[in-house]
């Protein structure tokens, strides 16, 4: 739904909630938001636009909880907490996690989707080719650089990044950037 209703209130659950925008509006709070970003990405869909649970999801939740209980039993609660903290670090303030912010937060007026063309694309299956991905969401990641090479006139003049760490730094320390720095459209279906 995000690809076909980007920025549409309630439908695109990538867009931070009003609560996030009002709460995480200072440098220190934005640091906390970046660290906890994986939790917001996981929980926001359940709160903003919940879907009926299917059998596969129930099996996944049951298996995950059973594994976590067994893991804590055999290795201790500290090991389980370590894994949770490592997940938050790896998907939060880690340089590779900069793609979560770089993709749709408006750093340059007039553009709402951005690509990253740095070396980390080699280890992230080209997730940085985000404009290309939104233009062709069904094209596999390994072919996205080919899309850019085939149509440079559509991508070369767009603002892009070469550092996800720089994106995280700018997000945290620029006063004009925060959870509200997303293009948000009215939900015409709800009206």
């Amino acid at each position: 739904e995000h690809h076909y209703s980007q920025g549409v209130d309630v439908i695109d659950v990538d867009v931070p909630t009003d609560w996030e925008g009002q709460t995480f509006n200072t440098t220190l709070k934005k640091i906390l938001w970046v660290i906890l970003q994986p939790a917001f990405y996981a929980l926001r869909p359940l709160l903003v636009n919940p879907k009926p649970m299917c059998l596969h999801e129930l099996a996944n939740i049951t298996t995950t909880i059973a594994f976590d209980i067994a893991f804590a039993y055999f290795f201790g609660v500290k090991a389980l907490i370590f894994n949770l903290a490592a997940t938050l670090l790896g998907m939060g303030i880690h340089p590779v996690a900069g793609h979560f912010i770089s993709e749709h937060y408006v750093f340059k007026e007039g553009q709402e989707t951005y690509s990253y063309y740095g070396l980390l694309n080699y280890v992230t299956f080209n997730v940085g080719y985000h404009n290309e991905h939104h233009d062709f969401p069904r094209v596999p990641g390994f072919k996205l650089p080919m899309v850019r090479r085939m149509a440079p006139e559509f991508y070369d003049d767009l603002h892009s990044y070469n550092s996800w760490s720089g994106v995280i730094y700018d997000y945290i320390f620029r006063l004009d950037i925060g959870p509200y720095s997303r293009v948000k459209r009215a939900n015409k279906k709800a009206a």
Side-chain angles (χ1 to χ4, degrees), residues 97-164:
H99 82 86
F100 290 113
I101 296 170
S102 74
E103 293 168 351
H104 296 295
Y105 285 81
V106 178
F107 284 79
K108 184 178 185 326
E109 283 300 320
Q111 185 177 333
E112 64 179 292
T113 303
Y114 304 84
S115 286
Y116 158 84
Y117 299 122
L119 292 174
L120 290 174
N121 277 310
Y122 289 112
V123 296
T124 61
F125 306 102
N126 294 318
V127 75
Y129 286 82
H130 208 68
N131 280 311
E132 296 81 353
H133 165 68
H134 269 267
D135 288 345
F136 303 98
R138 297 188 188 277
V139 170
F142 75 93
K143 290 189 175 185
L144 292 174
M146 189 184 319
V147 170
R148 182 174 185 227
R149 285 193 302 272
M150 290 171 55
E153 66 274 17
F154 293 103
Y155 302 108
D156 286 352
D157 292 333
L158 294 176
H159 180 70
S160 62
Y161 304 107
N162 58 15
S163 170
W164 278 328

Side-chain angles (χ1 to χ4, degrees), residues 177-191:
I177 301 290
Y180 279 135
S181 300
R182 291 282 304 256
V183 172
K184 194 170 182 179
R185 295 174 176 80
N187 185 348
K188 294 177 183 170
K189 292 178 184 174

Side-chain angles (χ1 to χ4, degrees), residues 8-191:
V8 175
D9 198 23
V10 178
I11 295 175
D12 183 1
V13 293
D14 268 4
V15 177
T17 63
D18 286 336
W19 177 82
E20 290 171 77
Q22 293 165 4
T23 304
F24 300 99
N25 54 9
T26 67
T27 298
L28 288 175
K29 290 178 183 178
K30 288 195 288 185
I31 291 170
L32 181 62
W33 185 87
V34 170
I35 292 169
L36 295 176
Q37 187 176 208
F40 289 118
Y41 265 77
L43 298 175
R44 194 182 301 128
L46 303 175
L47 301 172
V48 173
N49 191 11
K51 306 241 186 297
M53 188 177 299
C54 72
L55 186 60
H56 290 115
E57 291 167 325
L58 184 60
N60 183 21
I61 291 168
T62 304
T63 303
T64 301
I65 291 171
F67 177 85
D68 287 346
I69 290 169
F71 189 86
Y73 177 79
F74 288 110
F75 300 105
V77 174
K78 287 182 183 178
L80 184 64
I81 292 170
F82 174 83
N83 280 351
L84 177 61
T87 298
L88 290 175
L89 176 64
M91 293 178 65
I93 204 155
H94 189 278
V96 174
H99 82 86
F100 290 113
I101 296 170
S102 74
E103 293 168 351
H104 296 295
Y105 285 81
V106 178
F107 284 79
K108 184 178 185 326
E109 283 300 320
Q111 185 177 333
E112 64 179 292
T113 303
Y114 304 84
S115 286
Y116 158 84
Y117 299 122
L119 292 174
L120 290 174
N121 277 310
Y122 289 112
V123 296
T124 61
F125 306 102
N126 294 318
V127 75
Y129 286 82
H130 208 68
N131 280 311
E132 296 81 353
H133 165 68
H134 269 267
D135 288 345
F136 303 98
R138 297 188 188 277
V139 170
F142 75 93
K143 290 189 175 185
L144 292 174
M146 189 184 319
V147 170
R148 182 174 185 227
R149 285 193 302 272
M150 290 171 55
E153 66 274 17
F154 293 103
Y155 302 108
D156 286 352
D157 292 333
L158 294 176
H159 180 70
S160 62
Y161 304 107
N162 58 15
S163 170
W164 278 328
S165 297
V167 168
I168 293 172
Y169 179 89
D170 285 348
Y171 178 84
I172 290 171
F173 292 103
R174 277 182 52 181
L175 299 177
D176 62 326
I177 301 290
Y180 279 135
S181 300
R182 291 282 304 256
V183 172
K184 194 170 182 179
R185 295 174 176 80
N187 185 348
K188 294 177 183 170
K189 292 178 184 174

